[in-house]
Amino acid sequence: MENKHAYEILAEVVPHMKERPGMYFHPVNFNNLRLYMEGFITGLAWGPGEEGNREISRWLGKKVQRGSNVIWTAHVLALANDDEQKAWDLLFHYLEEFLKEKGNPPSKE
């Protein structure tokens, strides 16, 4: 198996998960998306100086001018005013933006 950076793996998975979430978790809802993404990111082999969910939380906290003391998915839900459909869209929006800034835009395959 090719040794890929965590950002590269995430950039490959995000578009597929966005398109076909039922292949990753059931039932398809924001809470399960949140739990899956947090676990998936935690499970990736992050290199030195990279901390997965904490790194994304700090990035999003700065981006939306909020603290970074909560996990990034909780930020997303708060930004969506607890509207799960809006939070679903925002989660992918911010995750794609994060990956673009890291030089790994989500693949379109």
Coordinates of all heavy atoms in Angstrom, one line a residue, residues 9-63:
I9 N -5.1 11.3 2.3 CA -6.2 10.3 2.5 C -7.5 10.9 2.7 O -8.5 10.6 2.2 CB -5.8 9.4 3.7 CG1 -4.5 8.6 3.4 CG2 -6.9 8.4 4.1 CD1 -3.9 7.9 4.6
L10 N -7.5 11.9 3.6 CA -8.7 12.7 3.9 C -9.3 13.3 2.6 O -10.5 13.3 2.4 CB -8.5 13.7 5.0 CG -9.6 14.3 5.7 CD1 -10.5 13.2 6.3 CD2 -9.1 15.2 6.8
A11 N -8.4 13.9 1.8 CA -8.9 14.5 0.6 C -9.5 13.5 -0.4 O -10.4 13.9 -1.2 CB -7.7 15.3 -0.1
E12 N -9.1 12.3 -0.4 CA -9.7 11.2 -1.2 C -11.0 10.8 -0.7 O -11.9 10.5 -1.4 CB -8.7 10.0 -1.3 CG -7.5 10.3 -2.2 CD -6.5 9.1 -2.2 OE1 -6.9 8.1 -1.6 OE2 -5.5 9.3 -2.8
V13 N -11.1 10.7 0.6 CA -12.3 10.1 1.2 C -13.5 11.1 1.3 O -14.7 10.8 1.1 CB -12.0 9.6 2.7 CG1 -13.3 9.3 3.4 CG2 -11.1 8.4 2.6
V14 N -13.2 12.4 1.6 CA -14.2 13.4 1.8 C -15.3 13.5 0.6 O -16.5 13.4 0.9 CB -13.6 14.8 2.1 CG1 -14.6 15.9 2.0 CG2 -13.0 14.8 3.5
P15 N -14.8 13.6 -0.6 CA -15.8 13.7 -1.7 C -16.7 12.4 -1.8 O -17.9 12.6 -2.0 CB -15.0 13.9 -3.0 CG -13.7 14.3 -2.5 CD -13.5 13.7 -1.2
H16 N -16.1 11.3 -1.6 CA -16.9 10.0 -1.7 C -17.9 10.0 -0.5 O -19.1 9.6 -0.7 CB -16.0 8.8 -1.7 CG -16.6 7.6 -2.0 ND1 -17.1 6.7 -1.1 CD2 -17.0 7.1 -3.2 CE1 -17.7 5.7 -1.7 NE2 -17.6 5.9 -3.0
M17 N -17.5 10.3 0.6 CA -18.4 10.3 1.8 C -19.5 11.3 1.6 O -20.6 11.0 2.0 CB -17.6 10.6 3.1 CG -18.4 10.5 4.3 SD -17.5 10.9 5.8 CE -16.3 9.6 5.8
K18 N -19.2 12.5 1.1 CA -20.2 13.5 0.8 C -21.2 13.0 -0.2 O -22.4 13.2 0.0 CB -19.5 14.8 0.3 CG -20.4 15.9 0.1 CD -19.6 17.1 -0.4 CE -20.5 18.3 -0.6 NZ -19.6 19.5 -1.1
E19 N -20.8 12.3 -1.2 CA -21.6 11.8 -2.2 C -22.4 10.5 -1.8 O -23.6 10.4 -2.1 CB -20.8 11.4 -3.4 CG -21.6 11.2 -4.7 CD -22.2 12.4 -5.3 OE1 -21.7 13.5 -5.1 OE2 -23.2 12.3 -6.0
R20 N -21.8 9.6 -1.0 CA -22.4 8.4 -0.6 C -22.2 8.1 0.9 O -21.6 7.1 1.2 CB -21.9 7.3 -1.5 CG -22.1 7.5 -3.0 CD -21.7 6.4 -3.8 NE -22.6 5.4 -3.7 CZ -22.6 4.2 -4.3 NH1 -21.5 3.9 -5.1 NH2 -23.5 3.3 -4.1
P21 N -22.8 8.9 1.8 CA -22.5 8.7 3.2 C -23.0 7.4 3.7 O -22.5 6.8 4.7 CB -23.3 9.9 3.8 CG -24.3 10.3 2.8 CD -23.7 10.0 1.5
G22 N -24.1 6.8 3.1 CA -24.6 5.5 3.6 C -23.6 4.4 3.5 O -23.8 3.3 4.2
M23 N -22.6 4.5 2.7 CA -21.5 3.5 2.6 C -20.6 3.6 3.9 O -19.8 2.6 4.1 CB -20.7 3.7 1.4 CG -21.5 3.4 0.1 SD -20.5 3.5 -1.4 CE -19.4 2.0 -1.1
Y24 N -20.7 4.6 4.6 CA -19.8 4.8 5.8 C -20.5 4.7 7.1 O -19.9 4.3 8.1 CB -19.1 6.2 5.7 CG -18.2 6.3 4.5 CD1 -18.7 6.7 3.3 CD2 -16.9 6.0 4.6 CE1 -17.9 6.9 2.2 CE2 -16.1 6.1 3.5 CZ -16.6 6.5 2.3 OH -15.8 6.6 1.2
F25 N -21.8 5.0 7.2 CA -22.5 5.0 8.5 C -24.0 5.0 8.2 O -24.5 5.4 7.1 CB -22.1 6.1 9.4 CG -22.2 7.5 8.8 CD1 -23.4 8.2 8.7 CD2 -21.1 8.0 8.2 CE1 -23.5 9.4 8.1 CE2 -21.1 9.3 7.6 CZ -22.3 10.0 7.5
H26 N -24.7 4.4 9.2 CA -26.2 4.4 9.1 C -26.8 4.5 10.5 O -26.2 3.9 11.4 CB -26.6 3.1 8.5 CG -28.1 3.0 8.3 ND1 -28.8 3.6 7.3 CD2 -29.0 2.4 9.0 CE1 -30.0 3.3 7.4 NE2 -30.3 2.6 8.4
P27 N -27.8 5.3 10.7 CA -28.5 6.1 9.7 C -27.7 7.3 9.3 O -26.8 7.7 10.1 CB -29.8 6.5 10.4 CG -29.5 6.4 11.9 CD -28.4 5.3 12.0
V28 N -28.0 7.8 8.2 CA -27.3 9.0 7.7 C -27.9 10.2 8.4 O -29.1 10.6 8.1 CB -27.5 9.1 6.1 CG1 -26.9 10.4 5.6 CG2 -26.8 7.9 5.5
N29 N -27.2 10.8 9.3 CA -27.6 12.0 10.0 C -26.3 12.7 10.4 O -25.2 12.2 10.4 CB -28.5 11.7 11.1 CG -27.9 10.8 12.2 OD1 -26.8 10.9 12.6 ND2 -28.8 9.9 12.7
F30 N -26.4 14.0 10.9 CA -25.3 14.8 11.2 C -24.5 14.1 12.4 O -23.3 14.1 12.4 CB -25.6 16.2 11.6 CG -24.4 17.0 12.0 CD1 -23.5 17.5 11.0 CD2 -24.2 17.3 13.3 CE1 -22.4 18.2 11.4 CE2 -23.0 18.0 13.7 CZ -22.1 18.4 12.7
N31 N -25.2 13.6 13.4 CA -24.5 13.1 14.6 C -23.6 11.9 14.1 O -22.5 11.8 14.6 CB -25.5 12.6 15.6 CG -24.8 12.3 16.9 OD1 -24.0 13.1 17.4 ND2 -25.0 11.1 17.4
N32 N -24.1 11.0 13.3 CA -23.3 9.9 12.8 C -22.1 10.4 11.9 O -21.0 9.8 12.0 CB -24.1 8.9 12.1 CG -24.9 8.0 13.1 OD1 -24.6 8.0 14.3 ND2 -25.9 7.4 12.7
L33 N -22.4 11.4 11.1 CA -21.3 12.0 10.3 C -20.2 12.5 11.2 O -19.0 12.3 11.0 CB -21.9 13.1 9.4 CG -20.8 14.0 8.7 CD1 -20.0 13.1 7.7 CD2 -21.5 15.1 7.9
R34 N -20.6 13.3 12.2 CA -19.7 13.9 13.2 C -18.8 12.8 13.8 O -17.6 12.9 13.9 CB -20.5 14.7 14.2 CG -19.7 15.3 15.3 CD -20.5 16.0 16.3 NE -21.3 15.0 17.1 CZ -20.8 14.3 18.1 NH1 -19.6 14.5 18.5 NH2 -21.6 13.5 18.8
L35 N -19.5 11.8 14.4 CA -18.8 10.7 15.1 C -17.8 10.0 14.1 O -16.7 9.7 14.5 CB -19.8 9.7 15.7 CG -20.6 10.3 16.8 CD1 -21.7 9.3 17.2 CD2 -19.7 10.6 18.0
Y36 N -18.3 9.7 12.9 CA -17.4 9.0 12.0 C -16.2 9.8 11.6 O -15.1 9.3 11.6 CB -18.2 8.6 10.7 CG -17.4 7.8 9.8 CD1 -17.5 6.4 9.9 CD2 -16.6 8.3 8.8 CE1 -16.8 5.5 9.1 CE2 -15.8 7.5 8.0 CZ -15.9 6.1 8.2 OH -15.2 5.3 7.4
M37 N -16.4 11.1 11.3 CA -15.3 12.0 10.9 C -14.3 12.1 12.0 O -13.1 12.1 11.8 CB -15.8 13.4 10.4 CG -16.5 13.3 9.1 SD -15.6 12.6 7.7 CE -14.2 13.6 7.7
E38 N -14.8 12.3 13.2 CA -13.9 12.5 14.4 C -13.0 11.2 14.5 O -11.8 11.3 14.7 CB -14.6 12.8 15.7 CG -15.2 14.2 15.7 CD -16.2 14.4 16.9 OE1 -16.2 13.5 17.8 OE2 -16.9 15.4 16.9
G39 N -13.7 10.1 14.5 CA -13.0 8.8 14.6 C -12.0 8.5 13.4 O -10.9 8.1 13.6
F40 N -12.5 8.8 12.2 CA -11.6 8.6 11.0 C -10.4 9.4 11.1 O -9.3 9.0 10.9 CB -12.4 8.9 9.8 CG -11.7 8.6 8.5 CD1 -11.6 7.3 8.0 CD2 -11.1 9.6 7.8 CE1 -10.9 7.1 6.8 CE2 -10.4 9.4 6.6 CZ -10.3 8.1 6.2
I41 N -10.5 10.7 11.4 CA -9.4 11.6 11.5 C -8.5 11.2 12.7 O -7.3 11.2 12.5 CB -9.9 13.1 11.7 CG1 -10.5 13.5 10.3 CG2 -8.8 14.0 12.1 CD1 -11.3 14.8 10.4
T42 N -9.0 10.8 13.8 CA -8.2 10.3 14.9 C -7.4 9.1 14.5 O -6.2 9.0 14.8 CB -9.1 10.0 16.1 OG1 -9.7 11.1 16.5 CG2 -8.2 9.4 17.2
G43 N -7.9 8.2 13.6 CA -7.3 7.0 13.2 C -6.2 7.2 12.2 O -5.4 6.3 11.9
L44 N -6.2 8.4 11.5 CA -5.2 8.6 10.5 C -3.8 8.8 11.1 O -3.7 9.3 12.3 CB -5.5 9.8 9.6 CG -6.7 9.7 8.7 CD1 -7.0 11.0 8.0 CD2 -6.4 8.6 7.7
A45 N -2.8 8.4 10.5 CA -1.4 8.5 11.0 C -0.9 9.9 10.8 O -0.2 10.2 9.8 CB -0.5 7.5 10.3
W46 N -1.2 10.8 11.7 CA -0.7 12.2 11.5 C 0.8 12.3 11.9 O 1.2 11.6 12.8 CB -1.5 13.1 12.5 CG -2.9 13.2 12.1 CD1 -3.9 12.3 12.4 CD2 -3.6 14.1 11.2 NE1 -5.1 12.7 11.8 CE2 -4.9 13.8 11.1 CE3 -3.1 15.3 10.5 CZ2 -5.8 14.5 10.3 CZ3 -4.0 16.0 9.8 CH2 -5.3 15.6 9.6
G47 N 1.5 13.0 11.2 CA 2.9 13.2 11.4 C 3.3 14.2 12.4 O 2.4 14.8 13.1
P48 N 4.6 14.4 12.7 CA 5.0 15.4 13.7 C 4.4 16.8 13.4 O 4.3 17.2 12.3 CB 6.5 15.4 13.5 CG 6.8 14.2 12.8 CD 5.7 13.8 11.9
G49 N 3.9 17.4 14.5 CA 3.3 18.7 14.4 C 1.9 18.7 13.9 O 1.3 19.8 13.8
E50 N 1.3 17.6 13.6 CA -0.1 17.5 13.2 C -0.9 16.7 14.2 O -0.4 15.7 14.7 CB -0.1 16.8 11.8 CG 0.6 17.5 10.7 CD 0.9 16.6 9.5 OE1 0.5 15.4 9.5 OE2 1.5 17.1 8.6
E51 N -2.0 17.2 14.5 CA -2.8 16.6 15.6 C -4.2 16.3 15.2 O -5.1 16.1 16.1 CB -2.7 17.5 16.8 CG -1.3 17.8 17.3 CD -1.3 18.9 18.3 OE1 -2.3 19.6 18.5 OE2 -0.2 19.1 18.9
G52 N -4.5 16.1 13.9 CA -5.8 15.7 13.5 C -6.9 16.6 13.9 O -7.0 17.8 13.5
N53 N -7.8 16.1 14.8 CA -9.0 16.9 15.2 C -8.6 18.2 15.9 O -9.2 19.2 15.7 CB -9.9 16.1 16.1 CG -10.6 15.0 15.3 OD1 -11.3 15.3 14.3 ND2 -10.5 13.8 15.7
R54 N -7.5 18.2 16.7 CA -7.1 19.4 17.4 C -6.6 20.5 16.3 O -6.9 21.7 16.5 CB -6.0 19.2 18.4 CG -6.6 19.0 19.8 CD -5.5 18.8 20.7 NE -4.9 17.5 20.5 CZ -4.0 16.9 21.3 NH1 -3.5 17.6 22.3 NH2 -3.6 15.7 21.1
E55 N -5.9 20.0 15.3 CA -5.4 20.9 14.3 C -6.6 21.6 13.5 O -6.6 22.8 13.3 CB -4.5 20.2 13.3 CG -3.9 21.1 12.3 CD -3.0 20.3 11.3 OE1 -2.8 19.1 11.5 OE2 -2.5 21.0 10.4
I56 N -7.6 20.8 13.2 CA -8.7 21.3 12.5 C -9.5 22.2 13.4 O -10.0 23.3 13.0 CB -9.6 20.1 12.0 CG1 -8.8 19.3 10.9 CG2 -10.9 20.7 11.3 CD1 -9.5 18.0 10.5
S57 N -9.6 21.9 14.7 CA -10.3 22.7 15.6 C -9.7 24.1 15.8 O -10.4 25.1 15.8 CB -10.4 22.1 17.0 OG -11.2 20.9 17.0
R58 N -8.4 24.1 15.9 CA -7.6 25.4 16.0 C -7.8 26.2 14.7 O -8.1 27.4 14.7 CB -6.2 25.2 16.2 CG -5.9 24.8 17.7 CD -4.4 24.9 18.0 NE -3.6 24.0 17.2 CZ -3.3 22.7 17.6 NH1 -3.7 22.3 18.8 NH2 -2.6 21.9 16.9
W59 N -7.7 25.5 13.5 CA -7.9 26.2 12.3 C -9.3 26.8 12.1 O -9.4 28.0 11.8 CB -7.6 25.2 11.1 CG -8.0 25.8 9.8 CD1 -7.1 26.5 9.0 CD2 -9.2 25.7 9.1 NE1 -7.8 26.8 7.8 CE2 -9.1 26.3 7.9 CE3 -10.4 25.0 9.4 CZ2 -10.1 26.4 6.9 CZ3 -11.4 25.1 8.4 CH2 -11.3 25.8 7.2
L60 N -10.3 26.0 12.5 CA -11.7 26.5 12.4 C -12.0 27.6 13.4 O -12.6 28.6 13.1 CB -12.7 25.4 12.5 CG -14.2 25.8 12.3 CD1 -14.4 26.4 10.9 CD2 -15.1 24.5 12.5
G61 N -11.4 27.5 14.6 CA -11.6 28.5 15.6 C -11.1 29.9 15.1 O -11.7 30.9 15.3
K62 N -9.9 29.9 14.5 CA -9.3 31.1 13.9 C -10.2 31.6 12.8 O -10.4 32.8 12.6 CB -7.9 30.9 13.5 CG -6.9 30.7 14.6 CD -5.5 30.5 14.1 CE -4.6 30.2 15.2 NZ -3.2 29.8 14.7
K63 N -10.6 30.7 11.9 CA -11.4 31.0 10.7 C -12.7 31.7 11.1 O -13.0 32.7 10.4 CB -11.6 29.8 9.9 CG -12.4 29.9 8.6 CD -11.7 30.6 7.6 CE -10.8 29.8 6.8 NZ -10.1 30.6 5.7

